[in-house]
Amino acid sequence: MKKTGIVILTIALIAAICGSFYVVNDKSKRANQKEKVLTEVQRITTKDLDKNYPQTPREVVKFYNRIVKCYYGMQYSDEELDVLTDQALKLFDDELAANNPKDTYKQSVTA
């Protein structure tokens, strides 16, 4: 009888440890998922165009359209506006970028 009680107590203790581990692990996964949610502005500003430039002209236009949607339809800070402007200018070819300096381009967007 004494051995049966010890076995049951051991099984209950193991179940409690496993249950508490599961609860803690699940909470940390949920916290990580909440932190990883980025706004569209943050997704655009964190993309490295030097390493991952769009492969086709169609993808370039799609990415530029995402930037334009952020300009006119989303909330952003002054720093994010500067980075959005830099990202847009990286999509331009040399001649277009030369004809649209950053200050002029930024003014046209904010006007």
Side-chain angles (χ1 to χ4, degrees):
M1 182 78 178
K2 190 174 182 180
K3 288 184 181 181
T4 308
I6 293 174
V7 170
I8 291 174
L9 183 62
T10 305
I11 291 173
L13 185 61
I14 291 172
I17 291 171
C18 289
S20 63
F21 177 75
Y22 174 76
V23 170
V24 169
N25 193 19
D26 189 47
K27 284 183 182 179
S28 67
K29 283 183 182 178
R30 287 184 188 169
N32 286 340
Q33 287 175 349
K34 287 181 183 178
E35 292 174 5
K36 290 182 182 179
V37 176
L38 298 176
T39 64
E40 181 67 11
V41 174
Q42 291 170 334
R43 279 189 229 128
I44 290 172
T45 57
T46 57
K47 183 168 180 148
D48 186 7
L49 290 177
D50 295 328
K51 293 181 181 177
N52 297 320
Y53 193 82
Q55 297 294 317
T56 64
R58 183 177 178 91
E59 290 177 13
V60 171
V61 172
K62 283 183 177 181
F63 191 71
Y64 184 75
N65 285 339
R66 287 175 54 198
I67 294 172
V68 171
K69 284 181 184 178
C70 289
Y71 284 147
Y72 299 112
M74 306 219 171
Q75 297 290 327
Y76 49 84
S77 66
D78 290 336
E79 294 83 22
E80 288 176 328
L81 176 62
D82 286 336
V83 177
L84 281 172
T85 304
D86 290 337
Q87 293 288 69
L89 291 174
K90 286 180 184 178
L91 294 174
F92 293 176
D93 71 340
D94 295 334
E95 184 180 352
L96 185 59
N99 289 326
N100 292 293
K102 182 177 180 178
D103 294 335
T104 307
Y105 181 75
K106 188 176 173 183
Q107 286 176 353
S108 70
V109 170
T110 57

